[in-house]
Amino acid sequence: MQIKKQYKGIIFDLDGTLLNTLGTYSHIMNELLEKNKFPIHTMKNYREFIGNGAKNFVTLSVPSEHRTEELIAHLLHEFHLQYENLYTQHSEAYAGIMDVLIDLQSAGITLALLSNKLHDLTLKCASHFFPDIKFSHIIGQSDKYKKPDPSGVLDLSKLLKIPLDQLVFVGDTDVDIITAQNAGVDSIAITWGFRDEKNLVSLSPNYMIRSPKELIEFLPFSKQI
């Protein structure tokens, strides 16, 4: 695969794309479910629940007959409190990701983050796991921003001063690909995250890559490295 188009900036999703947070999410949610005497889930189940924000993750984790607004709000609050304390545990950057980010940064490519993780936690994760990477702008979930709403991508285009046709969005879930499509930017689906390749192909991303190093091998600006 050769990506022929020249891009000036990359917007990355965080969880499932740069950072494997499945262990943290699974650990916290199973503790909360056990505390409330609900059945726990496997990591395979949680892998499918992640991608559309913590509230959706918590909701899908709770048995359907118990999904009251009051309970979900309570568990979501507890989840966020636990994540504040445990976000550095049971999570790690995917193998090869750090080298790719460093190479892209060295090549002068503008890097940004757009996540459905709460904004403050997105900032903390970026700082802790990628201390040597200077993301030009970081946007996490808030009242204003939540994928697949395109507002985050559109505002990043303005903040980065890069036209939409010169940006590409890299993500691992249907939410990421749909976000890119809603914003009118090209998308790169990655297969090492929280969705399988068959699911991603059905969404018609512009490109698909199966290892982090392919970002360096196939993007035109890799020639600058």
Side-chain angles (χ1 to χ4, degrees):
M1 177 190 70
Q2 178 65 49
I3 300 173
K4 297 179 180 180
K5 188 173 180 180
Q6 182 82 40
Y7 297 103
K8 292 185 177 179
I10 305 178
I11 301 173
F12 284 100
D13 169 56
L14 182 60
D15 292 12
T17 300
L18 302 182
L19 190 62
N20 186 356
T21 53
L22 185 58
T24 308
Y25 275 57
S26 302
H27 174 79
I28 294 172
M29 200 65 231
N30 275 343
E31 284 199 345
L32 291 176
L33 291 173
E34 287 182 327
K35 183 178 178 181
N36 287 272
K37 297 180 171 52
F38 293 139
I40 63 173
H41 296 283
T42 64
M43 290 182 74
K44 181 179 179 181
N45 292 140
Y46 285 128
R47 185 173 180 262
E48 298 173 355
F49 297 165
I50 296 175
N52 203 14
K55 182 177 181 180
N56 186 70
F57 174 77
V58 170
T59 301
L60 292 175
S61 301
V62 173
S64 57
E65 65 271 22
H66 295 284
R67 293 175 187 172
T68 65
E69 284 296 323
E70 182 179 7
L71 177 64
I72 297 303
H74 169 71
L75 291 177
L76 181 61
H77 176 70
E78 291 295 314
F79 180 86
H80 282 142
L81 288 178
Q82 290 292 327
Y83 198 90
E84 285 273 2
N85 295 323
L86 297 174
Y87 74 92
T88 63
Q89 302 178 34
H90 311 291
S91 292
E92 61 183 357
Y94 285 102
I97 282 293
M98 186 65 76
D99 290 340
V100 167
L101 293 175
I102 290 173
D103 284 346
L104 292 171
Q105 182 172 267
S106 298
I109 305 305
T110 299
L111 307 178
L113 281 180
L114 178 61
S115 175
N116 264 349
K117 190 191 297 293
L118 288 179
H119 183 68
D120 287 348
L121 290 173
T122 300
L123 293 175
K124 289 180 179 180
C125 285
S127 177
H128 177 80
F129 290 101
F130 306 102
D132 297 325
I133 304 303
K134 297 178 181 178
F135 293 104
S136 296
H137 286 284
I138 298 174
I139 293 179
Q141 187 185 139
S142 65
D143 291 339
K144 183 178 181 181
Y145 300 113
K146 184 181 179 182
K147 298 179 291 186
D149 186 288
S151 298
V153 174
L154 298 177
D155 283 358
L156 282 172
S157 175
K158 295 174 184 176
L159 291 166
L160 299 172
K161 298 181 180 179
I162 298 176
L164 292 171
D165 64 355
Q166 295 176 18
L167 283 173
V168 63
F169 188 24
V170 180
D172 70 303
T173 69
D174 49 344
V175 173
D176 297 318
I177 305 309
I178 294 170
T179 300
Q181 292 168 346
N182 288 344
V185 301
D186 287 349
S187 60
I188 298 176
I190 61 93
T191 63
W192 58 82
F194 298 148
R195 298 292 185 272
D196 61 37
E197 186 169 332
K198 182 178 179 180
N199 172 264
L200 294 170
V201 167
S202 70
L203 298 166
S204 300
N206 295 94
Y207 311 102
M208 181 173 293
I209 61 174
R210 295 167 180 82
S211 69
K213 67 179 182 179
E214 289 186 21
L215 272 173
I216 299 300
E217 292 176 350
F218 298 131
L219 283 169
F221 51 61
S222 66
K223 297 175 183 178
Q224 304 173 40
I225 297 173

